[in-house]
Amino acid sequence: MYGPVTLYSFAGGTEGEWAIRSLEPVCGEPIACPARLAISVDTSDTPGDSQWCLRGVTSNLRYTERGEVHALGKRGNLTGRPEATRAALIPIRKSAQWWALAQDERRAVFEEVSRHTSLSLPYLPRIARRLHHGRDLGEPFDFLTWFEFAPEDEPAFDTLLASLRATREWDFVEREIDIRLALCG
Amino acid sequence: MYGPVTLYSFAGGTEGEWAIRSLEPVCGEPIACPARLAISVDTSDTPGDSQWCLRGVTSNLRYTERGEVHALGKRGNLTGRPEATRAALIPIRKSAQWWALAQDERRAVFEEVSRHTSLSLPYLPRIARRLHHGRDLGEPFDFLTWFEFAPEDEPAFDTLLASLRATREWDFVEREIDIRLALCG
């Protein structure tokens, strides 16, 4: 019904198979910290009990070049692995200054300067990820990135996140929330 | 209310300030040809009488590089000029093959091979344009391009359109409608 892209809704409330272990506003306006996260696909319904509902679509690649697509494909990136019982949802909004850049300028900051893909590549397939775009939907966050990993890989995920936050690209991040989750048995 | 992007709705029905002079399905599934087009901004309401309603958001540039942004800016691109009493709305959907390309591959087809920006540049500011993105919204068309011009510039617009349709980029277009309009006095 929603065409070639897939709409994901992340609802924070009292229901859902993921327990929210922590919710930290990294920068910008915070959001409430409910007990559970419910994920649904291709529906605009919001669970009645939810304190917030964030939405985004999986869409085409915006910066990744062919060589990088191959390199990423070789590493593998699979969500839903049985051992991946921990997850992180990182909603981000970038500044108006970022969005006013031309495509070549954004690409240069993203990869040539900040090495976003190169930094992330070694963490695959252990740290699986799925990117959702919310900006064209009028959502409060431009991106919702979902990361999934085994409990023993969370320190590696923390290292990846610290590396990314130290890049020039993150100078353009004006709102960020760090939500950590555990799959409920 | 809709964030930094602007949502445009184009409703075909019996109301609206633009009269539909012609509606030609260029390729792919056609749509009905109503009498009028009503344009509204930042609302998801559909006029009750409409036969169809197409939506898209003005968003950030996807392929345009800094040098091209400057060149386009110098020419000017202004909608709403009093002499621009003719318009065209061109809804387009590109193929799955297009969207599976990496960013550098799409850019190469768009500009290095097809000269999309270079071909269009000489027609500014006479043929003003506004691009709306619908793909992430789950819309039937990936792009709705709105062109506005004086009646005497319609032959120039036809030439521009023929040039673009002859490019390699258009091999990836699987659905296209050509809607011509006149402003109602």
Side-chain angles (χ1 to χ4, degrees):
Chain A
M1 147 237 146
Y2 204 75
V5 298
T6 302
L7 175 71
Y8 282 84
S9 302
F10 298 89
T14 56
E15 290 169 22
E17 64 178 338
W18 292 92
I20 297 182
R21 291 183 296 136
S22 67
L23 186 153
E24 183 201 350
V26 181
C27 68
E29 198 190 337
I31 59 175
C33 182
R36 294 289 188 111
L37 185 78
I39 305 177
S40 55
V41 169
D42 282 343
T43 173
S44 49
D45 298 345
T46 305
D49 71 308
S50 57
Q51 294 185 254
W52 42 256
C53 186
L54 306 175
R55 295 191 169 91
V57 293
T58 55
S59 186
N60 61 292
L61 299 168
R62 306 290 162 98
Y63 303 108
T64 319
E65 301 188 347
R66 177 50 59 191
E68 294 157 350
V69 173
H70 280 307
L72 291 164
K74 275 172 75 173
R75 304 283 308 194
N77 179 27
L78 212 57
T79 53
R81 292 165 300 154
E83 69 272 25
T85 56
R86 293 289 181 277
L89 179 68
I90 315 280
I92 275 177
R93 188 176 66 216
K94 284 181 170 171
S95 65
Q97 190 198 352
W98 170 263
W99 293 112
L101 293 176
Q103 176 68 27
D104 56 331
E105 295 171 319
R106 277 181 280 108
R107 160 72 196 184
V109 174
F110 179 88
E111 192 60 31
E112 274 70 58
V113 176
S114 303
R115 321 292 305 161
H116 189 128
T117 301
S118 315
L119 277 178
S120 307
L121 193 63
Y123 294 89
L124 286 173
R126 284 189 304 159
I127 314 290
R129 66 191 286 288
R130 193 174 61 231
L131 178 62
H132 313 81
H133 298 264
R135 189 167 188 265
D136 280 5
L137 277 52
E139 282 284 309
F141 294 97
D142 297 332
F143 306 103
L144 308 172
T145 313
W146 175 259
F147 298 93
E148 239 180 59
F149 40 82
E152 60 268 28
D153 288 326
E154 189 145 16
F157 174 68
D158 288 328
T159 305
L160 168 60
L161 206 54
S163 311
L164 287 169
R165 286 182 181 149
T167 62
R168 167 86 180 109
E169 186 189 350
W170 248 252
D171 293 349
F172 295 93
V173 172
E174 64 176 23
R175 190 176 181 199
E176 178 176 1
I177 315 278
D178 185 336
I179 308 171
R180 301 298 175 100
L181 307 124
L183 194 59
C184 299
Chain B
M1 147 238 145
Y2 202 77
V5 299
T6 302
L7 174 71
Y8 282 83
S9 302
F10 298 90
T14 57
E15 290 169 21
E17 65 178 338
W18 292 91
I20 296 181
R21 292 182 295 133
S22 67
L23 187 153
E24 182 201 350
V26 181
C27 68
E29 198 190 337
I31 58 174
C33 183
R36 295 289 189 111
L37 184 79
I39 305 176
S40 54
V41 169
D42 282 343
T43 172
S44 50
D45 298 345
T46 306
D49 72 307
S50 57
Q51 295 184 254
W52 42 256
C53 186
L54 305 176
R55 295 192 169 91
V57 293
T58 55
S59 186
N60 61 292
L61 299 168
R62 307 289 163 97
Y63 303 108
T64 319
E65 300 187 348
R66 177 50 59 191
E68 294 158 349
V69 173
H70 280 308
L72 291 163
K74 275 173 73 172
R75 304 283 308 193
N77 178 29
L78 212 59
T79 54
R81 292 165 299 155
E83 69 272 25
T85 57
R86 294 289 182 275
L89 179 68
I90 315 280
I92 276 178
R93 190 177 63 216
K94 284 180 171 171
S95 65
Q97 190 199 352
W98 171 262
W99 293 111
L101 293 177
Q103 176 68 25
D104 56 332
E105 295 171 319
R106 277 181 280 107
R107 161 71 196 184
V109 173
F110 179 87
E111 192 60 29
E112 275 69 59
V113 176
S114 303
R115 320 293 305 162
H116 190 126
T117 302
S118 314
L119 276 177
S120 307
L121 193 63
Y123 294 88
L124 287 172
R126 286 188 303 158
I127 315 289
R129 66 190 287 289
R130 193 176 60 233
L131 177 63
H132 314 81
H133 298 264
R135 189 167 188 266
D136 280 5
L137 277 54
E139 281 285 308
F141 294 98
D142 297 332
F143 305 103
L144 308 172
T145 314
W146 175 260
F147 298 93
E148 239 180 60
F149 39 82
E152 60 270 27
D153 288 326
E154 187 143 18
F157 174 68
D158 288 327
T159 305
L160 168 60
L161 206 53
S163 310
L164 287 169
R165 286 181 181 150
T167 61
R168 167 88 180 107
E169 187 189 350
W170 248 251
D171 293 348
F172 294 94
V173 172
E174 62 175 24
R175 190 175 181 198
E176 179 175 2
I177 315 277
D178 185 336
I179 308 171
R180 301 297 175 102
L181 308 123
L183 193 60
C184 296

